[in-house]
Amino acid sequence: MLREFVIISIGAILIQNFVLVQFLGICPFLGVSKKVETALGMGFAVVFVMACASAITWAVQQLLVLFHIEYLQTIAFILVIAVLVQFVEMFLQKSIPALYNSLGIYLPLITTNCAVLGVAIVNITKFGGAELSFLKSLVYGTSAGLGFTLAIVLFAGVRERLESSDIPEFLKGMPITLITASLLSIAFMGFSGLSF
């Protein structure tokens, strides 16, 4: 059982990383990754939202199946994610105003972050009827959030180094950012050969 959870975690963090392999959640990845501290704050917020969304959407899916209204899945999941993001936003605004201000518009955008919705839907399709599906969903959601955090913090570290580098004028700004993101993505795709 523990081995299966480790395989799910490694798969979500490295092999099927939502940002660098599946290309979901690119907006906050590019927008909040200028400083490591801000990227880490966004990463922890996404981990919390993904973990909670995985648990709650699993329960919501069970209710939808019980009442034979599975077609409302996407709407219900978006509602759950929106509520969770509002809680995170209120918590950060009261507790850590500096992080709240540095995340800016990208914090409410977690609601529309396709990576968070993607985790909820993958959980249902991958672990829907499996034994221990709730725990697997929770592990997968948390691990996917940790994979997002790993990707955004690595990218922020590289972008901080690029600020002090001698870059040709025509590559400064978004061009070098996109080139860097693509190279980081290629590096993560190297994990796709891992098998257990």
Side-chain angles (χ1 to χ4, degrees), residues 2 5 7-8 13 22 26 62 65 73 95 133 140 168 174:
L2 181 62
F5 290 150
I7 290 171
I8 289 170
I13 294 170
Q22 297 185 34
I26 298 295
Q62 302 311 309
V65 168
Q73 178 186 63
S95 304
S133 61
Y140 186 76
M174 193 51 71

Side-chain angles (χ1 to χ4, degrees), residues 87-166:
F87 283 131
V88 169
E89 192 173 359
M90 289 186 302
F91 173 78
L92 289 178
Q93 189 174 15
K94 298 277 186 204
S95 304
I96 314 170
L99 179 61
Y100 174 79
N101 291 330
S102 65
L103 291 176
I105 188 65
Y106 295 102
L107 185 59
L109 282 178
I110 295 175
T111 302
T112 58
N113 185 344
C114 54
V116 180
L117 181 60
V119 163
I121 292 173
V122 166
N123 277 335
I124 299 308
T125 57
K126 199 172 189 178
F127 309 118
E131 186 179 323
L132 297 172
S133 61
F134 175 76
L135 288 176
K136 289 178 184 178
S137 295
L138 190 59
V139 167
Y140 186 76
T142 304
S143 300
L146 291 172
F148 179 90
T149 303
L150 175 66
I152 198 169
V153 168
L154 284 173
F155 190 55
V158 171
R159 285 183 77 179
E160 280 185 356
R161 298 282 307 263
L162 286 173
E163 290 294 319
S164 61
S165 298
D166 186 28

Side-chain angles (χ1 to χ4, degrees), residues 32 34-43 99 102-103 153 156 160:
V32 185
K34 292 182 181 176
K35 294 186 178 192
V36 172
E37 297 82 23
T38 308
L40 198 57
M42 174 60 102
L99 179 61
S102 65
L103 291 176
V153 168
E160 280 185 356

